[in-house]
Amino acid sequence: MKDITIQPSATIKEAMEALDKTAEKVLLVVDDDQRLIGALTDGDIRRYILKERDLIATIQSAYNKNPIFVFQEDFNIEKIKHILTKNIIDLVPILNQDRKVVDFVTWEKAFGNNRRSDDQKLDAPVVIMAGGRGTRLEPFTKVLPKPLIPVGDKPIIDHIIDRFRDYGISEFYLTIHHMSKIIQAYFEEKEPDYSIGFAEEDEPRGTAGSLKLLVDKLNKPFFVSNCDIIIETNYADLYRFHMQNNYDITLVASAKQFNIPYGICELNGGGSLERIKEKPEYNFLVNAGMYVLNPAVLELIPDNQLFHITHLIDKIMENGGQIGVYPVSENAWIDVGQWAEYRKSLKVIEGI
């Protein structure tokens, strides 16, 4: 119970960390007497960040103040099942007469499965950008291509694919260039139970340029992922977010907080000191390297040119298109593309 309750004085950042730790992905907001006053999901936090972006503010303006619940004396498992399915929620808290939380029922407890139901299944292709040299991971990448660098007991590329496979996705494409034959040989030997195709660049074309090689194969909104990142989020929710908002591209962004342990000098226009800001904190949404794209945007990519995803985003905006941003927590983004982060990722994967 302690793991899924939080008080309204907690910060957004603290709530994100708590949500990362709980399997339920819902926090029950309680007062000092453990009485229920609200509920907070990762969707609530996402909407708050897109409006405010202040990670050190309290959750007061983010949580739902009208949570769905059942009183203890009215408890009935069939009623709980009806509430879960009707409201498309993952958890129903059980309260006593004083509105104190005494228990809760999750989808898994009610139905005996982890709710990877039809509404969580995806029919979408995935493109993994696997052609880079991986210079930040040398000397490993002088021997192995970056997608095959092991993280725990399997290569990075398998961690990425496994997360999409959890959502029923079975159509994958790899854009390849550096050590391409080793990558192809790995999958030929593996004989996976999903479809995998390759788009081989004759020369590096950038993170978007290589997508042009797949223009005839991608006819529905599709995922693109770098081959050195692992994103822990609800991919079905990400895909719905893209579709429901009619975005041309949606990018996944990690909420990062940076603390500067010094007094920062702020100057006035004349070069004199205006004030010293002690140990400031800054919040940013950082591009995490995963996207959902509409196939129509591929027409904006020039042939046989170096063209990055940032160039494509600029092109879409010039043409009046819309770019979505889907925030995830700092801990939901595992970057294994450089040594310091690679070492951290080993511990994270171990924990998962």
Side-chain angles (χ1 to χ4, degrees), residues 263-289:
I264 300 302
C265 297
E266 295 185 354
L267 308 181
N268 61 25
S272 301
L273 181 70
E274 186 168 295
R275 65 168 177 159
I276 294 178
K277 193 172 182 181
E278 283 294 338
K279 300 178 181 178
E281 296 178 347
Y282 298 97
N283 303 309
F284 299 98
L285 289 175
V286 179
N287 184 4

Side-chain angles (χ1 to χ4, degrees), residues 19-265:
L19 279 167
D20 282 339
K21 292 175 183 174
T22 176
E24 281 72 30
K25 300 304 177 188
V26 180
L27 296 175
L28 301 179
V29 186
V30 296
D31 62 16
D32 291 337
D33 296 316
Q34 295 299 302
R35 289 189 292 258
L36 183 72
I37 58 174
L40 183 70
T41 67
D42 55 354
D44 295 325
I45 289 181
R46 190 173 305 116
R47 286 184 285 274
Y48 171 85
I49 290 174
L50 289 174
K51 288 179 183 177
E52 305 291 340
R53 279 181 44 193
D54 185 2
L55 302 185
I56 58 174
T58 69
I59 63 172
Q60 284 282 3
S61 57
Y63 72 84
N64 172 19
K65 296 175 175 61
N66 294 296
I68 296 169
F69 62 88
V70 169
F71 282 114
Q72 196 171 18
E73 62 265 27
D74 296 329
F75 179 85
N76 178 289
I77 193 62
E78 293 306 316
K79 180 179 181 179
I80 297 291
K81 287 181 178 179
H82 176 72
I83 291 171
L84 287 166
T85 52
K86 179 184 176 183
N87 296 280
I88 318 177
I89 55 178
D90 296 308
L91 179 150
V92 177
I94 311 299
L95 312 185
N96 65 17
Q97 281 302 308
D98 296 325
R99 289 183 62 96
K100 291 183 179 180
V101 181
V102 294
D103 202 355
F104 61 89
V105 178
T106 63
W107 183 280
E108 186 173 4
K109 286 180 184 176
F111 293 97
N113 60 55
N114 67 355
R115 200 169 179 244
R116 190 64 81 226
S117 55
D118 289 342
D119 70 321
Q120 295 291 89
K121 296 293 183 182
L122 290 171
D123 179 20
V126 175
V127 180
I128 301 173
M129 317 300 287
R133 290 186 172 275
T135 53
R136 295 182 301 168
L137 283 178
E138 289 182 349
F140 272 18
T141 47
K142 287 185 177 293
V143 179
L144 283 174
K146 183 167 60 172
L148 299 186
I149 296 296
V151 178
D153 61 354
K154 57 188 174 184
I156 299 168
I157 192 76
D158 282 347
H159 285 288
I160 296 169
I161 289 173
D162 286 350
R163 276 150 182 77
F164 286 107
R165 294 288 291 139
D166 284 345
Y167 291 84
I169 291 176
S170 59
E171 183 181 357
F172 295 87
Y173 298 95
L174 268 62
T175 63
I176 54 176
H177 176 67
H178 179 62
M179 295 188 179
S180 59
K181 287 183 172 52
I182 296 177
I183 297 172
Q184 289 174 296
Y186 172 77
F187 283 98
E188 286 171 10
E189 180 72 21
K190 184 181 176 68
E191 296 183 348
D193 61 348
Y194 49 82
S195 164
I196 188 154
F198 300 94
E200 186 165 5
E201 303 168 285
D202 49 9
E203 59 184 31
R205 298 186 184 182
T207 49
S210 58
L211 294 176
K212 193 73 168 183
L213 300 172
L214 294 166
V215 68
D216 295 330
K217 300 185 182 297
L218 301 170
N219 54 17
K220 65 182 74 169
F222 60 95
F223 289 92
V224 172
S225 174
N226 291 350
C227 73
D228 56 4
I229 56 115
I230 300 168
I231 302 293
E232 297 289 348
T233 193
N234 185 319
Y235 289 12
D237 186 65
L238 165 58
Y239 199 77
R240 279 193 297 269
F241 177 82
H242 173 81
M243 300 293 286
Q244 290 171 358
N245 290 286
N246 296 313
Y247 290 127
D248 295 287
I249 289 184
T250 295
L251 63 90
V252 176
S254 173
K256 289 275 191 179
Q257 182 178 334
F258 296 94
N259 303 313
I260 298 179
Y262 308 107
I264 300 302
C265 297

